[in-house]
Each structure stands twice: as structure tokens, then as C-alpha cells.
């Protein structure tokens, strides 16, 4: 063998030896500067060995032999991760921390069973970064939208299809004739009598037994029930925002008192029906905003009352003074004043400025009775009263501290104020 052939053999042997050594190191993927991969058993050890770390969430570390380790999160971190992953999917209500077999776990809360949610089925893992994950059906949860109903109330979405709930019916059952409460459709109603007969006993006859029998009545809604118009409600209540409500509520402390319910304000009430010297100012009550209380006492200061001696201001009349009145036959007859009253009123008390077509006019409280059973506050332009048409009946501020009235003797209690025939409030 010549020298050249010997060299070639040596080269071949070196290549084989190098290949064996290189194959060993490549097979084990071990270098003299790295920690053996077989000793890596956790994410923390992988990071400590300075193997590559993927900055994902959660982070992952890869070893040279192809293994990877995921950083274990705290239960709150895992909950946040699942929230970001699934809360925007249809059907997922929320992600929370619960207990699975007594151990802490992540709860993914669903509206329905996963079988009804194909977009989520098999997408929620059973394990998440060291924590068991369970699903829990909580029942359907709808968006928190609301819709305003015609009666002013609100309804939200509900039911399997998350549709808006039905608005309450605002029309009550038709008015039903009755003689007692039990004749009405339900306990929401009361039988308000419209016609009755009975016996009234004189004070000096102790043997007399009073009687009272209802001949006819109408079922009216009690306070707090739904209505359409004022006539649906029991007398004294108004249909406010489709609810029967008393326009005057509890007592309050004055204009600065803000404790009244919504839609109410603290307003000074009426004085007593028959005033007396030294009477204290009327108390304050929570009153429906915009409501004008028809106080019973009525005529303004200096209203002129017809008497056989001429027109006299109402505040100057005293018991025994002669006045003109009318009998049941409609004849003008002389009588005497049997009662007078002066009643303090609130500063915001309003009067009706009544103007008739023949030029007669008067300022009078809205609740003052007319001779036909109506009140002044019921009059409107075009109505007939005392033989002529009403031109206007506007409400205006009074600005005085009291109103006045009288009761003449005789069969009717009627008298003329500024030439207009009125009934008395002092019967």
C-alpha cells in the first residue's frame, strides 16, 4: 500500500469517528453549555435553563428535545384568560371561581346546555393551566334593555326569546252597576253609590231609627289601580299617569320640604269651612303638581252681595243682616244672614275669573257651588249659567290671605254675588 492510500484510509476512519460523535450529540441534543433536557420538568426549570420562552398568555417554554411547558396561572389569572376567550361568545354568561368536588375550579356559566350551543361545544376546555374547568347552566339571561309603555311604566326583555314583556293594559273593566262592593269585578273596585233612600232622624227624637239603602251604584277603582280617565277612579282620586291617585297626601313642613313623593310638592292646604277669630294658618300637605284644590270657601274680598239696602261687600255682612235670596219657586225674597265665614288660604291659592256674556263678572274659588250642582271650576266658555253664556273662566292668582262666604236664611241658601246667583258653601 502506498502512502497516498494509507492517508485516504486515515481520512475515512476520521470521518466515521466524527460522524459517530456528532450523531451522539445531535441525538441527545446536548451541548457542553446547556443543561440536559431530560432534567427539565417544569416551566420554571425550563426558563431557568434559558431555553426559548414564547411570550404568549400564558407563557410557554420549549426544550431542545421538542418538549414544552406552560406557565401555571393563578386561579384569578386563569379566570381572566377564559373571560377574554369566551365572554364575547353567544350563550356565555360569565366566568367565575367555584368548587368542583370540594376543590377550587373555574366555572364557565352558560345560558343553556352546551348541546344547544354548537358554536361553543367542545371549545371550552376541561382543564385550564392547572385548574379543572366545569360548565354550569344558569338559565337564560337577557340584555338589560327596557321599553316605555303607554302608561309610563317600563318593561324589560324576558322569556326564552328575550322579547320585551307585554305592557300592562291601561283600560279597566267596564263600569259595572252595583249595590255593594261584592257586586264589583274584583277587590280593586269599590261600589260608589249614586242613588239611595233612607230616613234621617231629628236630634230631639231618640226613638227614631235612621235607615239607608243603596238603590244604585257604580264600581270604581280604588287608589293605586290602573285607569284611563278620572271617572274610572273612586271619588276624590285622579287618574295620574294611568294610576288612580289621591291628589292630596300626607302633611309636610312647608315650601322648602322636599320629602314629598315624585310628582308631588309641599303646598299649603285650605282653611276650615267656617273660619273663626285667631284661626292658625292652614297646614301644608303633599299635593300633586298642577292640581288645584277646590277649597270650600270662596268669594274674594270686596265681592258685592245684593241686599234690600243695596250691594254690600261680603266681609262687612254680619249675622242678622238682611240679604236677597230665592225660594223654591224661584222668587226673589228677603232673608237674613245666618252664618258668615272668613277662611285663611294659601299664598298660591287661585281663583276663577268668571265673565258672563251680559258683562257680569266675579272672582271666585274653583270649588264654589253653583245653583245647578256644578262648581265654578267646571264652567267653560260657551256653557250656559244664570241665563247667559260663559265668556271665560280663567284661573288667576288671588294674592289675598282669606276668602269669605255667607249663608242666608230660607229654603235654598242662594244669594247674588256681583249680580250672579250662587249657592252657599255653609249649609
Amino acid at each position: 500500500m502506498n502512502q497516498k492510500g494509507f492517508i485516504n484510509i486515515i481520512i475515512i476512519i476520521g470521518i466515521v469517528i466524527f460522524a459517530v460523535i456528532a450523531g451522539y450529540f445531535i441525538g441527545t441534543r446536548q451541548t457542553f453549555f446547556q443543561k440536559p433536557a431530560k432534567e427539565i420538568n417544569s416551566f420554571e426549570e425550563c426558563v431557568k435553563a434559558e431555553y426559548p420562552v414564547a411570550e404568549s398568555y400564558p407563557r410557554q417554554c420549549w426544550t431542545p428535545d421538542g418538549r414544552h411547558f406552560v406557565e401555571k396561572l393563578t386561579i384569578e389569572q386563569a379566570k381572566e384568560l377564559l373571560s377574554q376567550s369566551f365572554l364575547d361568545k353567544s350563550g356565555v354568561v360569565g366566568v367565575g371561581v367555584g368548587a368542583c368536588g370540594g376543590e377550587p375550579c373555574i366555572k364557565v356559566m352558560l345560558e343553556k346546555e352546551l348541546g344547544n350551543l354548537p358554536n361553543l361545544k367542545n371549545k371550552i376546555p376541561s382543564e385550564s393551566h392547572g385548574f379543572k374547568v366545569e360548565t354550569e347552566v344558569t338559565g337564560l339571561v337577557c340584555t338589560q334593555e327596557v321599553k316605555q309603555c303607554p302608561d309610563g311604566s317600563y318593561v324589560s326583555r324576558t322569556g326564552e326569546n328575550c322579547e320585551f314583556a307585554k305592557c300592562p293594559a291601561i283600560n279597566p273593566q267596564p263600569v259595572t252597576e252595583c249595590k255593594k262592593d261584592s257586586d264589583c269585578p274584583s277587590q280593586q273596585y269599590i261600589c260608589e253609590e249614586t242613588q239611595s233612600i233612607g230616613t234621617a232622624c231629628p236630634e230631639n227624637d231618640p226613638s227614631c231609627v235612621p235607615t239607608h239603602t243603596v238603590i244604585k251604584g257604580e264600581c270604581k277603582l280604588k287608589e293605586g289601580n290602573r285607569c284611563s280617565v278620572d271617572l274610572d277612579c273612586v271619588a276624590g282620586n285622579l287618574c295620574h299617569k294611568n294610576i288612580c291617585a289621591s291628589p292630596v297626601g300626607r302633611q309636610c313642613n312647608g315650601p322648602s320640604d322636599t320629602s314629598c313623593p315624585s310628582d308631588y310638592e309641599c303646598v299649603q292646604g285650605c282653611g276650615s269651612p267656617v273660619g273663626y277669630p285667631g284661626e292658625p294658618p292652614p297646614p301644608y300637605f303633599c299635593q300633586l303638581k298642577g292640581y288645584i284644590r277646590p277649597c270650600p270657601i270662596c268669594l274674594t274680598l270686596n265681592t258685592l252681595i245684593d241686599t234690600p239696602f243695596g250691594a254690600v261687600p261680603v266681609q262687612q255682612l254680619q249675622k242678622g243682616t238682611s240679604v236677597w235670596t230665592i225660594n223654591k219657586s224661584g222668587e226673589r225674597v228677603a232673608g237674613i244672614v245666618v252664618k258668615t265665614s272668613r277662611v285663611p288660604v294659601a299664598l298660591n291659592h287661585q281663583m276663577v275669573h268668571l265673565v258672563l256674556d251680559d258683562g257680569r263678572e266675579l272672582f271666585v274659588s274653583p270649588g264654589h257651588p253653583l245653583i245647578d250642582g256644578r262648581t265654578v271650576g267646571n264652567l267653560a266658555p260657551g256653557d250656559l249659567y244664570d241665563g247667559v253664556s260663559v265668556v271665560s273662566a280663567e284661573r288667576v292668582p288671588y294674592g289675598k290671605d282669606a276668602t269669605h262666604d255667607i249663608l242666608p236664611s230660607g229654603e235654598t241658601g242662594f244669594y247674588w254675588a256681583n249680580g250672579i246667583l250662587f249657592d252657599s258653601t255653609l249649609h
Side-chain angles (χ1 to χ4, degrees):
M1 179 183 298
N2 57 29
Q3 185 176 5
K4 184 176 180 180
F6 178 79
I7 292 173
N8 288 337
I9 291 172
I10 294 298
I11 292 173
I12 290 171
I13 293 171
I15 290 172
V16 171
I17 295 172
F18 178 77
V20 171
I21 295 173
Y24 172 77
F25 282 103
I26 292 173
T28 59
R29 298 187 182 185
Q30 177 177 304
T31 69
F32 294 109
F33 305 101
Q34 292 178 320
K35 186 173 182 178
K38 65 180 181 180
E39 297 183 18
I40 303 300
N41 295 306
S42 67
F43 173 81
E44 289 74 17
E45 291 178 355
C46 186
V47 173
K48 189 174 181 180
E50 299 183 352
Y51 288 138
V53 176
E55 293 300 325
S56 58
Y57 186 67
R59 295 185 300 167
Q60 302 180 55
C61 183
W62 297 83
T63 62
D65 59 358
R67 292 185 300 155
H68 80 283
F69 298 90
V70 180
E71 182 180 21
K72 287 188 177 182
L73 305 179
T74 66
I75 198 164
E76 288 301 322
Q77 289 173 323
K79 173 183 170 183
E80 178 65 23
L81 177 61
L82 285 174
S83 298
Q84 294 174 355
S85 301
F86 295 106
L87 266 181
D88 60 342
K89 303 293 193 303
S90 173
V92 176
V93 178
V95 179
V97 178
C100 306
E103 297 295 329
C105 72
I106 310 273
K107 292 275 190 181
V108 179
M109 287 150 285
L110 306 171
E111 294 177 347
K112 302 178 182 178
E113 296 289 350
L114 280 174
N116 297 328
L117 300 171
N119 59 322
L120 285 179
K121 194 173 183 180
N122 300 324
K123 290 187 177 181
I124 297 180
S126 60
E127 298 286 338
S128 177
H129 317 299
F131 297 99
K132 187 175 182 180
V133 178
E134 285 192 357
T135 58
E136 178 179 337
V137 179
T138 64
L140 186 65
V141 176
C142 303
T143 57
Q144 297 301 303
E145 298 171 277
V146 294
K147 180 179 75 173
Q148 187 172 17
C149 296
D151 67 349
S153 63
Y154 293 87
V155 293
S156 59
R157 293 187 180 274
T158 185
E160 185 175 352
N161 298 319
C162 283
E163 296 177 344
F164 283 115
K166 291 183 179 180
C167 288
I170 62 173
N171 294 318
Q173 299 183 31
V175 173
T176 305
E177 288 190 0
C178 57
K179 291 185 178 179
K180 54 185 181 300
D181 292 349
S182 59
D183 293 338
C184 295
S186 71
Q187 292 185 350
Q188 295 177 330
Y189 294 82
I190 189 172
C191 185
E192 186 173 274
E193 68 178 69
T194 57
Q195 185 178 352
S196 63
I197 58 174
T199 302
C201 296
E203 294 180 359
N204 59 357
D205 186 0
S207 63
C208 178
V209 178
T211 62
H212 182 83
T213 302
V214 176
I215 297 176
K216 184 186 294 185
E218 291 182 348
C219 293
K220 297 289 187 177
L221 289 164
K222 299 177 183 177
E223 184 176 354
N225 292 291
R226 297 194 176 278
C227 54
S228 296
V229 295
D230 291 347
L231 288 176
D232 294 334
C233 305
V234 69
N237 283 359
L238 299 179
C239 188
H240 176 65
K241 292 185 176 180
N242 295 110
I243 298 293
C244 290
S246 173
V248 180
R250 62 175 177 78
Q251 192 168 334
C252 51
N253 297 320
S256 60
D257 190 335
T258 58
S259 66
C260 292
S262 175
D263 293 342
Y264 285 74
E265 57 187 343
C266 192
V267 174
Q268 192 171 25
C270 302
S272 61
V274 180
Y276 55 88
E279 180 179 3
Y284 285 81
F285 295 89
C286 292
Q287 182 171 294
L288 193 65
K289 294 178 181 177
Y291 175 71
I292 299 175
R293 192 184 310 188
C295 293
I297 306 298
C298 14
L299 301 176
T300 61
L301 187 72
N302 294 321
T303 297
L304 297 178
I305 306 299
D306 287 1
T307 79
F309 307 102
V312 178
V314 64
Q315 71 272 16
Q316 294 182 12
L317 295 176
Q318 300 178 2
K319 289 183 180 181
T321 303
S322 294
V323 292
W324 289 116
T325 182
I326 193 170
N327 61 23
K328 287 185 178 180
S329 299
E331 299 171 328
R332 183 182 179 102
V333 296
I336 62 169
V337 175
V338 295
K339 285 184 182 179
T340 65
S341 68
R342 177 188 181 278
V343 176
V345 294
L347 296 177
N348 62 348
H349 183 68
Q350 290 192 332
M351 307 293 273
V352 173
H353 182 199
L354 177 64
V355 180
L356 301 182
D357 191 45
D358 59 4
R360 289 177 292 169
E361 62 180 306
L362 176 68
F363 290 88
V364 58
S365 292
H368 194 100
L370 303 175
I371 61 173
D372 56 11
R374 292 178 294 172
T375 61
V376 176
N378 297 136
L379 294 177
D383 289 348
L384 291 176
Y385 185 66
D386 202 11
V388 297
S389 295
V390 174
V391 175
S392 63
E394 298 180 348
R395 306 207 178 196
V396 296
Y398 180 33
K400 304 295 183 180
D401 62 351
T403 56
H404 304 262
D405 201 13
I406 64 166
L407 176 64
S409 62
E411 300 170 324
T412 62
F414 297 167
Y415 59 85
W416 281 269
N418 283 10
I420 305 174
L421 191 60
F422 279 99
D423 193 2
S424 174
T425 63
L426 303 178
H427 290 285

